[in-house]
Amino acid sequence: MTMYTITLVNRGDATYQVDGKKTLLESLRAQGVDLPYGCKYGGCITCAAKITKGSVNQTAQVALNNRQINDGYVILCVARPTSDCTFEIGVESHDQLYRNPFLDPLKPHELKADVATPLKDSSEELL
Amino acid sequence: MECCGPGYASPAEAMKAPCERLLYTIAIYTGTGIQKPDYLCTIDADPDSRTYSQVISRLEMPGIGDELHHMGWNACSSCHGDAGMERKYLIVPGVRTSTLHIVDCATDPRNPTLFKVIEGSEIKTKTNLSAPHTVHCLGSEIIISMLGDAQGRAPGGYLHLDKNFEIIGRWENSMGDIKFGYDFWYQPRHNVMVSSEWAAPNTFMPGFDLEEVGHLKYGRELHFWDFEKKEPVQTMYLGEDGLIPLEVRFHHDPASSHGFVGAALSANIIHWWKDDAGEWRWEKIIDVENEPHPEWPIPIPGVISVILLSMDDRFLYFCNWLHGDIRQYDISDPHNPKLTGQVWMGGLLDRAPVVNGVTVTGGPQMIQLSLDGKRLYVTTSLFSTWDNQFYPEIRTNGGCMLMVNCDTEGGGMEIDPDFVVDFGKEPNGPSRCHETRYPGGDCTSDIWL
Ligand code: FES
């Protein structure tokens, strides 16, 4: 069993030991962290949190578009840690999650993975 | 016809019913950051009462994060002839958890209580469906449009419950080529049901990416069903005129074949009817222009999130949630609607930021009309994630409920100066209000056989 340390910055830097095989939502809730969630299959965005350090595997998620992923959002109900991680959790972490599509449209590569146009090379992202 | 079942013998009888004294309105904390359950509010609508225009009781759901949204009665005028039935229970689904709450509103109408819970996990296991939306009773049974399969993929289907709220299974025999689900209404004398299209739960729940409309992730079709055979028989491709067709309303008159749907993103009203040759036809009858915003690259569509017909089928009401207006049209001739009234509250165009002393955050969204057609109750929140995109201040301000007085003679609307419920002042913090129903039935509950 590979264990990782999860730090929650907006919970006074509290730390938790979690199993890399379990979802972060499951592990953190089991240790008493009060987290919002809805569908539990990665489709509704309710459980989104922002990662500031570390890495996760969240390939099962279908809620986030590429811009949200680039902004550090993680779907805790399906994400499993692949290193020690630091998160900001709950709605307090959602400052960049929602955007008005008429004010701030997505670029083709920022859509959800299944409809996004991939960037040809990474330098384009800077344009 | 002397009868003792629920509802009324006809729409004309319904219009003579006593005025509503209580309102049941959904309020949510899902997506607000307040870790409390969503709840059903009871609001005092009796102008002679000391607690008029106040929340007088709150029924919390057992879980957190349901996102209560729409709801429906266990019985309506479709079982008016059945003395064994009673309009007693509201079925209150959670869109995000798929859990159904059966609420007893009749034992003590001022303090509804939770009668039964059907867990989303049970529904998913037994029917492979999720994301409940519209609830209609069907004689003594209940069908609920479910917008996704157990993994939130479209098109979902219809959940069938018996009158004791036991799961019978899937209602439909086939979904045909339907891509998405949302609202539905049936008109039994024409053996027809009409259903509309939002998107897959996995698409709409996280929020609205406008760009996904072009990738065909949102609906643009209307489906006509053989109601007895429980299968779709005809699809109307509405195209650019019908992007995201949401609320579906037939005339209340059970003999009529006329119906209407609001295309939310195109901001059009689509009318359908059966022509003399027995063919279903459709046409666009109202087109709300997009409004430019001085600083935004894309003009703002009205986003018609709701439509409703008065009980006498004379007036059509709808809201432009992003513009901030509610409109009243005389549809005596359904092919030629005439604009007869308009009021403003909230919205992104800044026409009426404060009403009755309350800052309106959000725009006019769900509406419910009294049976006599004179009082229209309006709430301002659409869906938590979409609220957060378009009206982020709703997190701190909460939603609000207003009432509009409607002139049923010559047409016209006016916001009532004495009625306002500020959900920003709820005891557990700012919440958001959504659909409303009345104990005696309302203009979107009852269907006549
Ligand atoms: S709970 Fe729905 S995405 Fe995680």
Side-chain angles (χ1 to χ4, degrees):
Chain A
M1 187 156 70
T2 318
M3 299 297 285
Y4 297 109
T5 303
I6 305 298
T7 307
L8 303 181
V9 279
N10 59 337
R11 292 294 178 274
D13 285 326
T15 56
Y16 302 87
Q17 298 302 310
V18 304
D19 181 348
K21 287 205 174 56
K22 292 200 172 129
T23 70
L24 283 159
L25 184 76
E26 199 183 346
S27 303
L28 292 171
R29 287 192 70 228
Q31 296 181 59
V33 183
D34 191 10
L35 287 164
Y37 64 91
C39 71
K40 291 205 258 186
Y41 55 67
C44 81
I45 218 166
T46 313
C47 66
K50 202 194 266 180
I51 190 165
T52 50
K53 232 180 266 164
S55 60
V56 299
N57 176 349
Q58 59 168 340
T59 47
Q61 76 80 22
V62 289
L64 299 176
N65 60 40
N66 286 343
R67 186 193 284 184
Q68 291 162 327
I69 293 171
N70 285 337
D71 285 339
Y73 288 100
V74 168
I75 295 296
L76 296 182
C77 67
V78 294
R80 292 168 172 83
T82 51
S83 73
D84 292 346
C85 298
T86 303
F87 283 100
E88 189 183 349
I89 58 165
V91 169
E92 298 146 65
S93 72
H94 291 180
D95 57 314
Q96 287 166 284
L97 192 61
Y98 300 107
R99 110 217 111 80
N100 180 330
F102 302 102
L103 166 65
D104 187 12
L106 292 177
K107 299 194 187 79
H109 70 276
E110 293 179 320
L111 299 178
K112 277 190 186 170
D114 58 334
V115 287
T117 317
L119 284 178
K120 282 189 209 75
D121 61 76
S122 55
S123 62
E124 258 182 75
E125 198 168 355
L126 305 171
L127 297 177
Chain B
M1 185 172 59
E2 272 303 303
C3 229
C4 33
Y8 311 92
S10 65
E13 286 299 313
M15 292 183 71
K16 291 187 227 150
C19 290
E20 67 290 345
R21 295 284 181 241
L22 294 175
L23 317 175
Y24 299 124
T25 299
I26 272 165
I28 65 163
Y29 282 120
T30 301
T32 64
I34 295 174
Q35 282 285 76
K36 292 277 181 190
D38 298 347
Y39 56 107
L40 184 72
C41 302
T42 306
I43 293 166
D44 188 338
D46 177 357
D48 297 325
S49 161
R50 274 194 304 123
T51 49
Y52 177 61
S53 158
Q54 291 175 28
V55 178
I56 54 172
S57 69
R58 296 170 183 85
L59 174 67
E60 285 193 346
M61 299 300 119
I64 293 178
D66 284 310
E67 183 124 29
L68 303 183
H69 193 59
H70 285 217
M71 54 182 164
W73 291 105
N74 68 309
C76 78
S77 297
S78 66
C79 19
H80 184 62
D82 183 348
M85 290 301 295
E86 189 187 353
R87 194 192 313 256
K88 178 170 182 184
Y89 301 104
L90 267 179
I91 296 120
V92 187
V95 194
R96 284 177 194 272
T97 54
S98 302
T99 297
L100 303 182
H101 310 90
I102 316 295
V103 176
D104 174 357
C105 295
T107 302
D108 180 358
R110 299 173 70 84
N111 291 288
T113 49
L114 193 61
F115 172 72
K116 181 176 174 171
V117 173
I118 306 171
E119 294 292 343
S121 52
E122 184 188 347
I123 294 170
K124 287 178 189 168
T125 312
K126 290 188 174 162
T127 65
N128 188 31
L129 292 171
S130 72
H133 191 270
T134 302
V135 180
H136 273 302
C137 55
L138 176 73
S140 60
E141 296 177 352
I142 293 146
I143 57 178
I144 303 176
S145 57
M146 307 287 292
L147 309 193
D149 68 9
Q151 292 298 311
R153 292 172 296 227
Y158 293 82
L159 175 67
H160 192 183
L161 303 178
D162 71 14
K163 64 175 170 183
N164 300 314
F165 313 109
E166 297 294 334
I167 297 173
I168 298 173
R170 300 278 287 249
W171 171 81
E172 82 280 7
N173 285 324
S174 162
M175 286 296 280
D177 296 325
I178 291 179
K179 297 181 192 72
F180 308 105
Y182 181 67
D183 196 25
F184 68 102
W185 192 288
Y186 62 97
Q187 192 70 307
R189 289 195 198 172
H190 293 277
N191 185 34
V192 68
M193 176 173 110
V194 174
S195 69
S196 60
E197 296 189 331
W198 190 6
N202 291 343
T203 301
F204 72 76
M205 279 204 199
F208 179 53
D209 284 354
L210 175 65
E211 300 79 7
E212 293 198 330
V213 176
H215 288 276
L216 305 183
K217 294 246 225 158
Y218 282 88
R220 50 181 72 187
E221 292 182 347
L222 206 57
H223 306 282
F224 287 68
W225 295 62
D226 182 320
F227 190 54
E228 274 160 24
K229 288 200 186 132
K230 304 179 181 179
E231 55 189 38
V233 287
Q234 192 178 347
T235 289
M236 307 224 172
Y237 180 77
L238 307 175
E240 297 292 315
D241 276 338
L243 297 177
I244 320 189
L246 294 183
E247 308 285 308
V248 172
R249 312 289 183 212
F250 262 107
H251 269 167
H252 293 98
D253 172 4
S256 170
S257 68
H258 293 270
F260 306 85
V261 66
L265 188 64
S266 303
N268 291 333
I269 301 293
I270 308 287
H271 163 228
W272 72 79
W273 73 100
K274 204 195 266 178
D275 69 12
D276 294 339
E279 295 293 321
W280 291 103
R281 306 264 306 272
W282 71 272
E283 64 184 354
K284 176 176 80 172
I285 54 166
I286 298 168
D287 188 337
V288 176
E289 294 289 322
N290 293 353
E291 294 269 354
H293 186 285
E295 284 123 46
W296 299 2
I298 303 178
I300 309 168
V303 177
I304 300 178
S305 53
V306 70
I307 72 167
L308 173 155
L309 304 189
S310 62
M311 201 39 95
D312 59 4
D313 298 327
R314 184 174 158 206
F315 291 108
L316 169 91
Y317 294 87
F318 67 83
C319 294
N320 288 304
W321 185 60
L322 292 186
H323 287 179
D325 59 322
I326 310 176
R327 299 188 188 189
Q328 178 199 52
Y329 284 82
D330 186 328
I331 50 158
S332 303
D333 173 1
H335 301 282
N336 292 297
K338 291 190 181 56
L339 181 64
T340 46
Q342 186 176 27
V343 291
W344 293 87
M345 55 182 74
L348 293 172
L349 303 178
D350 223 22
R351 300 270 171 88
V354 178
V355 178
N356 293 352
V358 171
T359 300
V360 181
T361 312
Q365 210 287 110
M366 286 313 286
I367 49 179
Q368 188 54 270
L369 186 63
S370 60
L371 290 169
D372 63 10
K374 295 187 171 146
R375 294 165 304 285
L376 186 76
Y377 298 89
V378 189
T379 54
T380 53
S381 148
L382 180 108
F383 191 65
S384 64
T385 40
W386 293 42
D387 291 346
N388 292 343
Q389 285 181 277
F390 294 103
Y391 296 107
E393 323 75 43
I394 202 168
R395 208 175 273 152
T396 41
N397 294 355
C400 70
M401 182 187 225
L402 293 159
M403 184 175 95
V404 176
N405 293 312
C406 303
D407 183 341
T408 55
E409 302 293 325
M413 310 169 82
E414 230 171 83
I415 297 175
D416 189 288
D418 298 321
F419 188 96
V420 61
V421 186
D422 184 355
F423 284 82
K425 301 216 162 66
E426 283 291 278
N428 285 322
S431 67
R432 306 177 191 176
C433 41
H434 197 64
E435 195 178 49
T436 295
R437 297 217 172 271
Y438 318 138
D442 44 58
C443 287
T444 59
S445 289
D446 286 56
I447 290 175
W448 281 269
L449 297 178

